[in-house]
Amino acid sequence: MNATFCELRDKEVISVKDGRRLGFISDLEIDLCTGRVNCIILPPSGSCLALFSKKGKIVIPWNAIEKIGDDIILVKYCELPEIKEKRH
């Protein structure tokens, strides 16, 4: 299967773990030596200026993609657990 970046960014990314809508692809990381896509990058959610922020981006490795359909991309995505403060 072949797809252009423009086609991929028009598909909504959804987590198969909990059905959460993660957003749309804003960027790709490509290995220039092999030409393979390493990961997809989604902007942080919650702000109309999120596309311009580097903070809070969602980075999903290419091997975490379960299925690319006509309208959506299903991914195995789970956030890192929150760091809890140590109590002394």
Side-chain angles (χ1 to χ4, degrees):
M1 176 179 146
N2 293 322
T4 66
F5 174 69
C6 291
E7 291 168 338
L8 287 177
R9 73 174 182 201
D10 289 339
K11 300 175 190 290
E12 188 169 21
V13 180
I14 298 177
S15 169
V16 295
K17 179 182 176 194
D18 57 9
R20 194 166 24 133
R21 298 171 141 187
L22 301 174
F24 294 85
I25 296 174
S26 63
D27 207 351
L28 299 173
E29 181 183 288
I30 299 171
D31 182 325
L32 295 179
C33 293
T34 64
R36 293 179 184 253
V37 176
N38 289 334
C39 60
I40 59 174
I41 302 169
L42 287 64
S45 61
S47 169
C48 55
L49 296 177
L51 285 173
F52 304 107
S53 173
K54 290 185 178 185
K55 208 171 169 184
K57 286 184 180 180
I58 299 172
V59 178
I60 301 172
W62 187 259
N63 62 2
I65 295 175
E66 286 286 308
K67 175 97 174 148
I68 298 176
D70 292 337
D71 298 324
I72 62 172
I73 299 173
L74 299 175
V75 297
K76 287 187 268 185
Y77 173 78
C78 56
E79 294 176 307
L80 296 173
E82 290 183 26
I83 299 171
K84 296 181 181 179
E85 285 185 38
K86 293 181 181 179
R87 294 185 183 181
H88 296 277

